[in-house]
Each structure stands twice: as C-alpha cells, then as structure tokens.
Amino acid sequence: MGTRNPETMLARVEADAMGAPPFAAWAEQHPAIKVTSFADAAVGAELVVNATNGGASLDVLHQAAAENLDGKIILDIANPLDFSNGMPPTLFVKDTDSLGEQIQRAFPGARVVKTLNTMNADLMARPGQLSDPGSVFVSGNDAEAKAVVAGLLEDFGHRDVIDLGDITTARGTEMLLPVWLRLWGALGTPAFNFKIVR
Amino acid sequence: MGTRNPETMLARVEADAMGAPPFAAWAEQHPAIKVTSFADAAVGAELVVNATNGGASLDVLHQAAAENLDGKIILDIANPLDFSNGMPPTLFVKDTDSLGEQIQRAFPGARVVKTLNTMNADLMARPGQLSDPGSVFVSGNDAEAKAVVAGLLEDFGHRDVIDLGDITTARGTEMLLPVWLRLWGALGTPAFNFKIVR
C-alpha cells in the first residue's frame, strides 16, 4: 500500500475526518501489508488500484512513476470530486472528458480500467451486504485488462458486471456521483447500489 | 396536447427520424386528445407535462405562457441533451445547475417536479414491461406537487418512487443520461432501468 509519507501516516494517533481510527491501528492488524511510498508500492505490484482522492490521482500516479505502471492494470476507483465550492461537491472534469481518460492519457503504457466508483467503499469488496449486490460497471480500452478486473469483481461477490466499452464511458459512471450523493442524503445511508434492471 | 404548429404536425405523412408512423395516425386513434397550440393546451390543463426536447423546453414553456402555468404542476421529463457535437450527446447544463432549475427559475409561479427523465419513454408509463420496474426519482421544491406526481407514477406501475429533495437534485438525475446512453449501447436495448438496491 502506497502513501505520500508512510512515516507521517503511521504516526497519526487521531481519528480521521470521518471518525475512523488512525491508519496505524489498521496496519497493525494487517502486518502482511507493507505501507510504503507510492513508487515502492507500484514497482512490486502486479495490478495497481488507484484508491486516491480524485483531485490527487494524477499527482499520486506520477509519484508512483510511469515506468512502474507500464503494462500494468490500473484499477481506477477515483472520482473527480471538487469540494472547493462546499457541499455537495461538483465534478472537476465531466461530460466531454473524465478522470479515467486523464489517467489513461497521462500513462499510455498502463491499462486503465475504471470500476467500482459508483458505490460506497464498504460495498466495493463486500457487495453481498445488500439484499442484492446490484450492478458494477467497467470501462477501459484493453479487453484482457477488463476480463482480469471482472474476475476480481466476481471474487468480491459482484454478480452483474457490465462492460460499458472503452475508457470514454467512464464519463458516464463518474457523472453518476451527483445522484449518488443526493441518494445518500435521501436514503440516509450510503449502503445502496445501482442495479440495472432489464 | 400542445405542439408548435398543430396543422403542420397533423399534415405530416412521412415516418419520423426513429421510423415511427406520422403523428396524425396516432391522433386519429386517440380522438379524445385534442392537438392544439402550447398555450391552448396549457390554459386548460390541470397539470402540464414537459415532454419536449430539452433544448427547446424553455422556449416551448414560454409559448405556453407563464400565466397559463401559474400554480400548476409542471411534470418535467426533459433532459438537457446537446447533439451539436455529434454522438453521444453532451449536456448543455450540468453540475452546478440543471434544466429543471432553469424551468423553475423561469416560471416561479409553477411547481416543477423533475421525474421520469432517467428511463426510456416507453417505460415511463409502462414500467411493468420489465421483470422489475426499478426506481423512479422525483425532485422539486413543492411537497404537495411531488405527492401528486408520486401518485401518478404509482398509477403507471412504479413501485419505488424516491424523493431526492428540492429541484437542485435534478442535477443528479439529469447527469444520469451519459451512463444511460452508454448502457443503451452496451446492452443493445433501451429497455432497462436504474433500480436502487438497499
């Protein structure tokens, strides 16, 4: 697991902004997972998960370094949320471009697959918490990379993986965020998902 | 039913761009429904459905005239699709504003309820075609207007009507269109709907 400054992160003792315990507590419970720099995490990775703040994603991936990403799948779950104008956040890229495309353009040697960005983090790897796990979308230019990611998603318990097409279709899933945020408000819980009924 | 020019519309003999038969054929089969000008349709209406091209909605509602809309519910199903740059369309308003809000601002005496804009026209009034009708969203500033609309939606067969909040939440549902369009491509049919699973 890569982070900007492993020492600082592990030294934190206070709860985060959402009230979660400091990261060091989690790290202690998961000693097999090394906490290191972005570049060090990427160099040894078979597959890279971009689970960063959307506004920081490009900077973080540059810290991971293009040569450490070449040929690798980047499973991109980030959303281009802009909190600078308060709540609810707006999107800093949308409609004619997407964060997924920005990452693919910045790292042409990587194989970006946008997925999981349409649900709460807690549901991404444990969708079985819901009465029905709902649907999950994949967007990317590389069919083999999407097949690898679909396999992971199915391992997590996802039962309806919808391949939307190339990475430009990430525009669609990133633009789901505004209604996701409003649904969170209306339902009073982030424990919900989109299911495509046919 | 209001249209820009009833005589021209009823005189058309060719199929439309989607291959549908000319409107006159439909009008003949539904003699109880008068085809008239926008203003004439609005003046006698108890509730107004804005089922126009999003790019024309404000112009059409101005033709219907504010005094004919005052106090009335405008059930707004239009989407701000911009086809001027080809396919897929982009949105001419998004993120920090919505077509629903533009209509509410332009007609402050009306009670705008955004709904049904997240599914194919054929499913709006007949959602029972799907194995599960899915969810339908309502956005609007007037609680009584939303209750009236929710009743209509339930009459149509909708079983999960989600009140997202005030008219600003239309930003969320209008921004669903890009992924709706990509899903149409991926699934090869517009006969699908979003369902919010909890």
Side-chain angles (χ1 to χ4, degrees), chain A residues 77-123:
Chain A
I77 69 166
N79 278 305
L81 298 178
D82 175 1
F83 292 90
S84 66
N85 296 305
M87 292 293 287
T90 53
L91 302 182
F92 64 75
V93 60
K94 57 204 165 253
D95 207 19
T96 55
D97 196 9
S98 63
L99 179 58
E101 290 165 89
Q102 290 183 337
I103 294 172
Q104 184 61 81
R105 285 198 303 272
F107 302 94
R111 299 179 289 163
V112 179
V113 180
K114 187 100 206 180
T115 192
L116 290 173
N117 60 310
T118 55
M119 68 193 73
N120 193 43
D122 196 43
L123 290 171

CSV table of all heavy atoms in Angstrom, one decimal, chain A residues 77-123:
chain,number,residue,atom,x,y,z
A,77,ILE,N,-10.7,3.6,-9.1
A,77,ILE,CA,-12.0,3.8,-8.5
A,77,ILE,C,-12.2,5.2,-8.1
A,77,ILE,O,-13.2,5.5,-7.4
A,77,ILE,CB,-12.1,2.9,-7.2
A,77,ILE,CG1,-11.1,3.4,-6.1
A,77,ILE,CG2,-11.8,1.4,-7.5
A,77,ILE,CD1,-11.4,2.7,-4.7
A,78,ALA,N,-11.3,6.1,-8.5
A,78,ALA,CA,-11.4,7.5,-8.0
A,78,ALA,C,-12.5,8.3,-8.7
A,78,ALA,O,-12.9,8.0,-9.9
A,78,ALA,CB,-10.1,8.2,-8.2
A,79,ASN,N,-13.0,9.3,-8.1
A,79,ASN,CA,-14.0,10.2,-8.7
A,79,ASN,C,-13.5,11.6,-8.7
A,79,ASN,O,-12.8,12.1,-7.7
A,79,ASN,CB,-15.3,10.1,-8.0
A,79,ASN,CG,-16.1,8.9,-8.5
A,79,ASN,OD1,-16.4,8.7,-9.7
A,79,ASN,ND2,-16.5,8.0,-7.6
A,80,PRO,N,-13.8,12.4,-9.8
A,80,PRO,CA,-13.3,13.8,-9.9
A,80,PRO,C,-14.1,14.8,-9.1
A,80,PRO,O,-14.6,15.8,-9.6
A,80,PRO,CB,-13.4,14.0,-11.4
A,80,PRO,CG,-14.5,13.2,-11.8
A,80,PRO,CD,-14.5,12.0,-11.0
A,81,LEU,N,-14.2,14.5,-7.8
A,81,LEU,CA,-15.0,15.4,-6.9
A,81,LEU,C,-14.2,16.6,-6.5
A,81,LEU,O,-13.0,16.6,-6.2
A,81,LEU,CB,-15.3,14.6,-5.6
A,81,LEU,CG,-16.2,13.4,-5.8
A,81,LEU,CD1,-16.5,12.7,-4.5
A,81,LEU,CD2,-17.5,13.8,-6.5
A,82,ASP,N,-14.9,17.8,-6.6
A,82,ASP,CA,-14.3,19.1,-6.3
A,82,ASP,C,-15.1,19.6,-5.1
A,82,ASP,O,-16.2,20.0,-5.2
A,82,ASP,CB,-14.4,20.0,-7.5
A,82,ASP,CG,-13.9,21.4,-7.2
A,82,ASP,OD1,-13.5,21.7,-6.1
A,82,ASP,OD2,-14.0,22.2,-8.1
A,83,PHE,N,-14.4,19.7,-3.9
A,83,PHE,CA,-15.1,20.2,-2.7
A,83,PHE,C,-14.8,21.7,-2.5
A,83,PHE,O,-15.2,22.2,-1.5
A,83,PHE,CB,-14.6,19.4,-1.5
A,83,PHE,CG,-15.1,17.9,-1.5
A,83,PHE,CD1,-14.3,16.9,-2.1
A,83,PHE,CD2,-16.3,17.6,-1.0
A,83,PHE,CE1,-14.7,15.6,-2.1
A,83,PHE,CE2,-16.7,16.2,-1.0
A,83,PHE,CZ,-15.9,15.3,-1.6
A,84,SER,N,-14.1,22.3,-3.5
A,84,SER,CA,-13.7,23.7,-3.2
A,84,SER,C,-14.9,24.7,-3.1
A,84,SER,O,-14.7,25.8,-2.6
A,84,SER,CB,-12.7,24.1,-4.3
A,84,SER,OG,-13.4,24.2,-5.5
A,85,ASN,N,-16.0,24.3,-3.6
A,85,ASN,CA,-17.2,25.2,-3.5
A,85,ASN,C,-18.2,24.7,-2.5
A,85,ASN,O,-19.4,25.0,-2.5
A,85,ASN,CB,-17.9,25.3,-4.9
A,85,ASN,CG,-17.0,26.0,-5.9
A,85,ASN,OD1,-16.5,27.1,-5.6
A,85,ASN,ND2,-16.7,25.4,-7.0
A,86,GLY,N,-17.7,23.8,-1.6
A,86,GLY,CA,-18.6,23.3,-0.5
A,86,GLY,C,-19.4,22.1,-0.9
A,86,GLY,O,-19.1,21.5,-1.9
A,87,MET,N,-20.4,21.8,-0.1
A,87,MET,CA,-21.2,20.6,-0.4
A,87,MET,C,-22.5,20.9,-1.1
A,87,MET,O,-23.1,22.0,-0.8
A,87,MET,CB,-21.5,19.9,1.0
A,87,MET,CG,-20.3,19.3,1.6
A,87,MET,SD,-19.6,17.9,0.8
A,87,MET,CE,-20.8,16.6,1.1
A,88,PRO,N,-23.1,20.1,-2.0
A,88,PRO,CA,-22.4,18.9,-2.4
A,88,PRO,C,-21.3,19.2,-3.4
A,88,PRO,O,-21.3,20.2,-4.0
A,88,PRO,CB,-23.5,18.1,-3.2
A,88,PRO,CG,-24.4,19.2,-3.7
A,88,PRO,CD,-24.4,20.3,-2.6
A,89,PRO,N,-20.2,18.3,-3.5
A,89,PRO,CA,-19.1,18.6,-4.4
A,89,PRO,C,-19.6,18.6,-5.8
A,89,PRO,O,-20.6,18.0,-6.2
A,89,PRO,CB,-18.2,17.4,-4.2
A,89,PRO,CG,-19.1,16.3,-3.6
A,89,PRO,CD,-20.1,17.0,-2.8
A,90,THR,N,-18.8,19.3,-6.7
A,90,THR,CA,-19.1,19.3,-8.1
A,90,THR,C,-18.0,18.4,-8.7
A,90,THR,O,-17.2,17.8,-8.0
A,90,THR,CB,-19.0,20.7,-8.7
A,90,THR,OG1,-17.8,21.3,-8.3
A,90,THR,CG2,-20.2,21.6,-8.1
A,91,LEU,N,-18.0,18.3,-10.0
A,91,LEU,CA,-17.0,17.4,-10.7
A,91,LEU,C,-16.0,18.3,-11.5
A,91,LEU,O,-16.4,19.2,-12.2
A,91,LEU,CB,-17.7,16.5,-11.7
A,91,LEU,CG,-18.8,15.6,-11.2
A,91,LEU,CD1,-19.3,14.7,-12.3
A,91,LEU,CD2,-18.2,14.7,-10.0
A,92,PHE,N,-14.7,18.1,-11.2
A,92,PHE,CA,-13.7,19.0,-11.9
A,92,PHE,C,-13.5,18.6,-13.3
A,92,PHE,O,-12.8,19.3,-14.1
A,92,PHE,CB,-12.4,19.1,-11.1
A,92,PHE,CG,-11.6,17.8,-10.9
A,92,PHE,CD1,-10.9,17.3,-12.0
A,92,PHE,CD2,-11.6,17.2,-9.7
A,92,PHE,CE1,-10.1,16.1,-11.8
A,92,PHE,CE2,-10.9,16.0,-9.5
A,92,PHE,CZ,-10.1,15.5,-10.6
A,93,VAL,N,-14.0,17.4,-13.8
A,93,VAL,CA,-13.9,17.0,-15.2
A,93,VAL,C,-15.2,16.3,-15.4
A,93,VAL,O,-15.7,15.5,-14.5
A,93,VAL,CB,-12.7,16.2,-15.5
A,93,VAL,CG1,-12.6,15.0,-14.8
A,93,VAL,CG2,-12.6,15.9,-17.0
A,94,LYS,N,-15.8,16.5,-16.6
A,94,LYS,CA,-17.1,15.8,-16.8
A,94,LYS,C,-17.5,16.0,-18.3
A,94,LYS,O,-16.9,16.8,-19.0
A,94,LYS,CB,-18.2,16.4,-16.0
A,94,LYS,CG,-18.3,17.9,-16.1
A,94,LYS,CD,-19.0,18.6,-14.9
A,94,LYS,CE,-18.8,20.1,-15.0
A,94,LYS,NZ,-17.8,20.6,-14.0
A,95,ASP,N,-18.5,15.2,-18.7
A,95,ASP,CA,-19.2,15.4,-19.9
A,95,ASP,C,-18.4,15.1,-21.2
A,95,ASP,O,-18.7,14.2,-22.0
A,95,ASP,CB,-19.8,16.8,-20.0
A,95,ASP,CG,-21.1,16.8,-20.8
A,95,ASP,OD1,-21.7,15.8,-21.0
A,95,ASP,OD2,-21.5,17.9,-21.2
A,96,THR,N,-17.3,15.9,-21.4
A,96,THR,CA,-16.5,15.7,-22.6
A,96,THR,C,-15.2,15.0,-22.3
A,96,THR,O,-14.3,14.9,-23.2
A,96,THR,CB,-16.3,17.0,-23.3
A,96,THR,OG1,-15.7,17.9,-22.4
A,96,THR,CG2,-17.6,17.6,-23.8
A,97,ASP,N,-14.9,14.7,-21.1
A,97,ASP,CA,-13.7,14.1,-20.6
A,97,ASP,C,-14.0,13.5,-19.2
A,97,ASP,O,-15.0,13.7,-18.7
A,97,ASP,CB,-12.6,15.1,-20.5
A,97,ASP,CG,-11.2,14.5,-20.5
A,97,ASP,OD1,-11.0,13.3,-20.6
A,97,ASP,OD2,-10.2,15.3,-20.3
A,98,SER,N,-13.0,12.7,-18.8
A,98,SER,CA,-13.2,12.1,-17.4
A,98,SER,C,-11.9,11.9,-16.8
A,98,SER,O,-10.8,11.9,-17.4
A,98,SER,CB,-13.9,10.7,-17.6
A,98,SER,OG,-13.1,9.8,-18.4
A,99,LEU,N,-11.9,11.6,-15.5
A,99,LEU,CA,-10.6,11.3,-14.8
A,99,LEU,C,-10.0,10.1,-15.3
A,99,LEU,O,-8.8,10.0,-15.5
A,99,LEU,CB,-10.9,11.2,-13.3
A,99,LEU,CG,-9.7,10.9,-12.4
A,99,LEU,CD1,-8.6,12.0,-12.5
A,99,LEU,CD2,-10.2,10.8,-10.9
A,100,GLY,N,-10.8,9.1,-15.6
A,100,GLY,CA,-10.3,7.8,-16.2
A,100,GLY,C,-9.5,8.1,-17.4
A,100,GLY,O,-8.4,7.5,-17.6
A,101,GLU,N,-10.1,8.9,-18.3
A,101,GLU,CA,-9.4,9.2,-19.6
A,101,GLU,C,-8.1,10.1,-19.3
A,101,GLU,O,-7.1,9.9,-20.0
A,101,GLU,CB,-10.3,10.0,-20.5
A,101,GLU,CG,-11.4,9.2,-21.1
A,101,GLU,CD,-12.5,10.1,-21.7
A,101,GLU,OE1,-12.4,10.4,-22.8
A,101,GLU,OE2,-13.5,10.4,-20.9
A,102,GLN,N,-8.2,11.0,-18.3
A,102,GLN,CA,-7.0,11.8,-18.0
A,102,GLN,C,-5.8,10.8,-17.5
A,102,GLN,O,-4.7,11.0,-17.9
A,102,GLN,CB,-7.3,12.8,-16.9
A,102,GLN,CG,-8.2,13.9,-17.3
A,102,GLN,CD,-8.5,14.9,-16.2
A,102,GLN,OE1,-8.4,14.6,-15.1
A,102,GLN,NE2,-8.9,16.1,-16.6
A,103,ILE,N,-6.2,9.8,-16.7
A,103,ILE,CA,-5.2,8.9,-16.3
A,103,ILE,C,-4.6,8.1,-17.4
A,103,ILE,O,-3.4,7.9,-17.6
A,103,ILE,CB,-5.7,8.0,-15.1
A,103,ILE,CG1,-6.1,8.9,-13.9
A,103,ILE,CG2,-4.8,6.9,-14.8
A,103,ILE,CD1,-6.8,8.2,-12.8
A,104,GLN,N,-5.5,7.6,-18.3
A,104,GLN,CA,-5.1,6.8,-19.4
A,104,GLN,C,-4.2,7.6,-20.3
A,104,GLN,O,-3.2,7.1,-20.8
A,104,GLN,CB,-6.3,6.2,-20.2
A,104,GLN,CG,-5.9,5.3,-21.3
A,104,GLN,CD,-5.2,4.1,-20.9
A,104,GLN,OE1,-5.8,3.1,-20.4
A,104,GLN,NE2,-3.9,4.0,-21.0
A,105,ARG,N,-4.5,8.9,-20.6
A,105,ARG,CA,-3.7,9.7,-21.4
A,105,ARG,C,-2.3,10.0,-20.8
A,105,ARG,O,-1.3,10.0,-21.5
A,105,ARG,CB,-4.4,11.1,-21.7
A,105,ARG,CG,-5.5,11.0,-22.7
A,105,ARG,CD,-5.8,12.4,-23.3
A,105,ARG,NE,-6.2,13.4,-22.2
A,105,ARG,CZ,-7.4,13.5,-21.8
A,105,ARG,NH1,-8.4,12.8,-22.2
A,105,ARG,NH2,-7.6,14.5,-20.8
A,106,ALA,N,-2.3,10.2,-19.5
A,106,ALA,CA,-1.1,10.5,-18.8
A,106,ALA,C,-0.1,9.3,-18.7
A,106,ALA,O,1.1,9.5,-18.6
A,106,ALA,CB,-1.4,11.0,-17.4
A,107,PHE,N,-0.7,8.1,-18.7
A,107,PHE,CA,0.1,6.9,-18.6
A,107,PHE,C,-0.3,5.9,-19.7
A,107,PHE,O,-1.0,4.9,-19.5
A,107,PHE,CB,-0.2,6.2,-17.2
A,107,PHE,CG,0.2,7.2,-16.1
A,107,PHE,CD1,-0.7,8.0,-15.5
A,107,PHE,CD2,1.5,7.3,-15.7
A,107,PHE,CE1,-0.4,8.9,-14.5
A,107,PHE,CE2,1.9,8.2,-14.7
A,107,PHE,CZ,0.9,9.0,-14.1
A,108,PRO,N,0.1,6.2,-20.9
A,108,PRO,CA,-0.4,5.4,-22.1
A,108,PRO,C,0.1,4.0,-22.0
A,108,PRO,O,-0.5,3.1,-22.7
A,108,PRO,CB,0.2,6.2,-23.3
A,108,PRO,CG,1.2,7.1,-22.7
A,108,PRO,CD,0.9,7.4,-21.3
A,109,GLY,N,1.1,3.7,-21.3
A,109,GLY,CA,1.6,2.4,-21.2
A,109,GLY,C,0.8,1.5,-20.2
A,109,GLY,O,1.0,0.3,-20.2
A,110,ALA,N,0.0,2.1,-19.4
A,110,ALA,CA,-0.8,1.4,-18.4
A,110,ALA,C,-2.1,1.0,-19.0
A,110,ALA,O,-2.5,1.6,-20.1
A,110,ALA,CB,-1.0,2.2,-17.2
A,111,ARG,N,-2.8,0.1,-18.4
A,111,ARG,CA,-4.1,-0.3,-18.9
A,111,ARG,C,-5.2,0.0,-17.9
A,111,ARG,O,-5.3,-0.7,-16.9
A,111,ARG,CB,-4.1,-1.8,-19.2
A,111,ARG,CG,-3.1,-2.1,-20.3
A,111,ARG,CD,-3.1,-3.6,-20.6
A,111,ARG,NE,-2.5,-4.4,-19.5
A,111,ARG,CZ,-2.6,-5.7,-19.4
A,111,ARG,NH1,-3.4,-6.4,-20.3
A,111,ARG,NH2,-2.0,-6.3,-18.4
A,112,VAL,N,-5.8,1.2,-18.1
A,112,VAL,CA,-6.7,1.7,-17.1
A,112,VAL,C,-8.1,1.1,-17.2
A,112,VAL,O,-8.7,1.0,-18.3
A,112,VAL,CB,-6.9,3.3,-17.2
A,112,VAL,CG1,-7.9,3.8,-16.2
A,112,VAL,CG2,-5.5,4.0,-17.1
A,113,VAL,N,-8.6,0.6,-16.1
A,113,VAL,CA,-10.0,0.1,-16.0
A,113,VAL,C,-10.7,0.9,-14.9
A,113,VAL,O,-10.4,0.8,-13.8
A,113,VAL,CB,-10.0,-1.4,-15.7
A,113,VAL,CG1,-11.5,-1.9,-15.7
A,113,VAL,CG2,-9.2,-2.2,-16.8
A,114,LYS,N,-11.7,1.6,-15.3
A,114,LYS,CA,-12.5,2.4,-14.4
A,114,LYS,C,-13.6,1.5,-13.9
A,114,LYS,O,-14.3,0.9,-14.7
A,114,LYS,CB,-13.2,3.6,-15.1
A,114,LYS,CG,-13.9,4.5,-14.1
A,114,LYS,CD,-13.0,5.7,-13.8
A,114,LYS,CE,-13.3,6.3,-12.5
A,114,LYS,NZ,-12.4,7.5,-12.3
A,115,THR,N,-13.7,1.3,-12.6
A,115,THR,CA,-14.8,0.5,-12.0
A,115,THR,C,-14.9,0.8,-10.5
A,115,THR,O,-14.1,1.5,-9.9
A,115,THR,CB,-14.4,-1.0,-12.2
A,115,THR,OG1,-15.6,-1.8,-11.9
A,115,THR,CG2,-13.3,-1.4,-11.3
A,116,LEU,N,-16.0,0.4,-9.9
A,116,LEU,CA,-16.3,0.4,-8.5
A,116,LEU,C,-16.6,1.9,-8.0
A,116,LEU,O,-16.9,2.0,-6.8
A,116,LEU,CB,-15.2,-0.2,-7.7
A,116,LEU,CG,-15.1,-1.7,-7.8
A,116,LEU,CD1,-13.8,-2.2,-7.0
A,116,LEU,CD2,-16.3,-2.4,-7.2
A,117,ASN,N,-16.4,2.9,-8.9
A,117,ASN,CA,-16.5,4.3,-8.4
A,117,ASN,C,-18.0,4.7,-8.2
A,117,ASN,O,-18.3,5.8,-7.9
A,117,ASN,CB,-15.9,5.2,-9.4
A,117,ASN,CG,-16.5,5.1,-10.8
A,117,ASN,OD1,-16.6,4.0,-11.4
A,117,ASN,ND2,-16.8,6.2,-11.5
A,118,THR,N,-18.9,3.8,-8.5
A,118,THR,CA,-20.4,4.1,-8.4
A,118,THR,C,-21.0,3.6,-7.1
A,118,THR,O,-22.2,3.6,-7.0
A,118,THR,CB,-21.1,3.6,-9.6
A,118,THR,OG1,-20.9,2.1,-9.7
A,118,THR,CG2,-20.7,4.2,-10.9
A,119,MET,N,-20.2,3.2,-6.1
A,119,MET,CA,-20.7,2.7,-4.9
A,119,MET,C,-19.8,3.1,-3.7
A,119,MET,O,-18.7,3.4,-3.9
A,119,MET,CB,-20.9,1.1,-4.9
A,119,MET,CG,-19.6,0.3,-5.0
A,119,MET,SD,-19.9,-1.4,-5.4
A,119,MET,CE,-20.2,-1.2,-7.2
A,120,ASN,N,-20.4,3.0,-2.5
A,120,ASN,CA,-19.7,3.3,-1.3
A,120,ASN,C,-18.5,2.3,-1.1
A,120,ASN,O,-18.6,1.1,-1.5
A,120,ASN,CB,-20.6,3.1,-0.1
A,120,ASN,CG,-20.1,3.7,1.1
A,120,ASN,OD1,-19.5,4.8,1.1
A,120,ASN,ND2,-20.2,3.1,2.2
A,121,ALA,N,-17.4,2.8,-0.6
A,121,ALA,CA,-16.2,2.0,-0.4
A,121,ALA,C,-16.4,0.7,0.3
A,121,ALA,O,-15.9,-0.4,-0.1
A,121,ALA,CB,-15.1,2.8,0.4
A,122,ASP,N,-17.3,0.7,1.2
A,122,ASP,CA,-17.5,-0.5,2.0
A,122,ASP,C,-18.2,-1.6,1.2
A,122,ASP,O,-18.2,-2.8,1.5
A,122,ASP,CB,-18.4,-0.1,3.2
A,122,ASP,CG,-18.4,-1.2,4.3
A,122,ASP,OD1,-17.3,-1.7,4.6
A,122,ASP,OD2,-19.5,-1.5,4.8
A,123,LEU,N,-18.9,-1.2,0.1
A,123,LEU,CA,-19.6,-2.2,-0.7
A,123,LEU,C,-18.7,-2.7,-1.8
A,123,LEU,O,-19.1,-3.7,-2.5
A,123,LEU,CB,-20.9,-1.5,-1.3
A,123,LEU,CG,-22.0,-1.2,-0.4
A,123,LEU,CD1,-23.1,-0.4,-1.1
A,123,LEU,CD2,-22.6,-2.5,0.2
